[in-house]
Amino acid sequence: MAYLDHAATTPMLEEVISAMSATMSEVGNASSLHAAGRRARRTVEESRERLAASLDAGPSEIIFTGGGTESDNLAVKGIYLARRAENAARRRILVSAIEHHAVLDAVLWLGSHEQAQVELLPVDEVGQVHPDTLATAIARDPGSVALVSVMWANNEIGTVQPISELAEVAHQWDIPFHTDAVQAVGTLDVSFARSGVDALTVTAHKLGGPYGAGALLLSRDVNCVPLLHGGGQERDVRSGTLDTAGVVGLSLAAELAVGRRSEMAQRLTGLRNTLIAGILREVPEARINGHPTQRLPGNVHASFRGCEGDSLLMLLDAKGVECSTGSACSAGVSQPSHVLLAMGADEATARGSLRFSLGHTSTESDVEAVVGAIGGVVERARRAGLANAVRR
Amino acid sequence: MKGDACLNATTSDVPLKVLAAMSGGVDSAVAAARAVDAGWDVTGVHLALSRQPATLRSGARGCCSVEDANDARRAADVLGIPFYVWDFAERFAADVIDDFVAEYEAGRTPNPCLRCNEQIKFSALLDRALALGFDAVVTGHHAQLADGELRRSVDAGKDQSYVLAVLTPDQLSHAIFPLGDSTKDQVRAEAAARGLSVADKPDSHDICFIADGDTQRFLTDRLGERPGDIVDADGQVLGEHAGTFGFTVGQRKGLNLTTPAAGGKPRYVLSISPKSNTVVVGDKAALEVGAISCTAPVWISRRGSDEFDCAVQLRAHGMVSPARVRLDPDGGLTARLDRPQFGVAAGQALVMYDGDRVLGSATITATSR
Ligand SMILES: Cc1ncc(COP(=O)(O)O)c(C=O)c1O
């Protein structure tokens, strides 16, 4: 098996598994006052400091959550509701057109239930949001903007955004800025302090940590209305008994991933470039999507005209190559990617695309497996694509 | 349970590569299971046929809901086979739903299941499967297929040979129906024994793309109201209709006639004329049909002569009647029924049988006494 879907999830690190197992065998609710509770709390707080150090943030800026989706929802809904409560005129939410559904669907929900006006910031043909685009959108009516959210790096096409510049633009008008950095941590230099963002989403399972553990990094001067009410944990912003083992797993995975980031980025960039060259050699008409250099080290996203992504996926799966069409599913049916459409791709191109994503266990032989299979697979999928065009 | 495709496979060591169409129901799950047992290389596929899956009927009754896709995936997981959902919504809309509406609009009575087999499962899906390197498509239809011959299922009540009789020998050569030698009860029992959770899922009945079963409203939504007269054979107006597409020849209910019939005899739809926008009704005797004209015959097993005796079936789950069939010079055919039948609708298929063996089919265009 060649696993090239690390952007979906990446194998857990052995160190993380043993640290979590050790934690799981100890009793203790971090909110309890007795010795067992104190021990759990100490573990949680040490983990908080460890995660803060890895992401260049203050420990008090960390809110542990149940993963990336929750962090994104908490950020955009919580900050929107807080900003609107302060000033009812703040109804506009500006997000990039290529956000993950955890941001996109959350703001669309605010649009249909909380009177938000959602504006999608256009991207260029390689998937970048220009600071000018953001500035123009804000300047149209600065007083009405509740928040801005632009992801650090895109999960499908791997394009990296000029996050500090974008955050700076928002700050010229004192507008809070959130970024989903789920795909960025571990291969890019993610510093909460230096980036200038006010809120940042991270999740453990893309770093070698467990599923269902994440955090929202939230600056102390940004108000955020809680979505989960209860025991008042996590600064009253996110109630719920802390998952001590999950918190340990997240923090250790982040520390390990960030610690070997440069070396990993360099290795993955090499593999990625070999993979891109190999695909283009086998299928010269293939198109690599996204930014040529400002892209995630482990991301290759390619379009194969005349092919259905579904067919490509199935044929590669049968040859032991595991990858993704990169786009979201609705009821198991893959939809043409909103990311590619936003970059100006036509629907046929958007449907005929694959994402290969490399990670810490990737090797040369994974890349060779793809390169060895891709030519035949594309040819076959193209024939099937032609067989299947709607007859009119 | 063997089709031609699997006979070919016995000549080589490579296992047959088959695509099992899995609707989420019990039949297709057991069909896929039997394909796995046969030692074939099986991949499961669920066809997403609706443009808005979530809005279609939920639960067990339809064939296109999200629950059905999940049921199919769960069955594939139990069988340990790869599983994918393929989007055929556009083809289905163009080839089945649009055709269904157009046929009713033209005064005929279509059979969408038959059209789906002909255009989607054994055309769009089969073409794609073959192009992707599969040898055959496996479905859970209740019919027997061996040596190129299509026969009724051993379960007469569940037999689906009627809706498969439109397939050409070429299509059938890449089709496998593993359930034809079993009754529905046996299939359910087998599903339970195999631990398939769909074992006691109710059968789907109606038209899968009409969520609430209200065909008339479905058609009205698409075609708009087109009010006109309901008349008797003499042209006397007996009532009003909202569109001729809402009627089927032989229909008795829902006519809402204002003038009662002499003697209180029930009245039936005798004919439908979209051109003059009228529906003609009359008593049952006038529905009697002795001769049927058909177009576009498809032969699975063609007779040597241009005139022969066989048994014909005129609608799904309909009665069978002995008939003499004559091939017409224009490429169509005419069937002379030994005993008259009532309420034969244009647009339905006439399927010819020799005992339980399908000879071929053709589309009914006109009837006479
Ligand atoms: C960019 C991005 N945001 C959010 C998420 C959701 O994170 P999680 O799976 O932890 O809920 C993902 C992962 O699928 C992602 O790639």
Side-chain angles (χ1 to χ4, degrees), chain A residues 92-104:
Chain A
R92 284 207 292 155
I93 301 179
L94 310 180
V95 304
S96 86
I98 60 166
E99 289 303 302
H100 188 273
H101 281 284
V103 166
L104 209 50

Side-chain angles (χ1 to χ4, degrees), chain B residues 233-298:
Chain B
D234 302 327
Q236 197 192 326
V237 176
L238 303 177
E240 231 193 58
H241 66 75
T244 57
F245 51 79
F247 299 85
T248 291
V249 169
Q251 173 180 342
R252 182 179 138 195
K253 294 195 184 117
L255 299 181
N256 294 325
L257 298 179
T258 44
T259 324
K265 273 201 284 182
R267 282 177 298 202
Y268 297 81
V269 174
L270 302 183
S271 66
I272 300 162
S273 170
K275 271 216 188 91
S276 61
N277 201 21
T278 50
V279 173
V280 181
V281 299
D283 60 10
K284 185 164 185 189
L287 273 179
E288 216 178 84
V289 165
I292 303 170
S293 304
C294 299
T295 182
V298 176

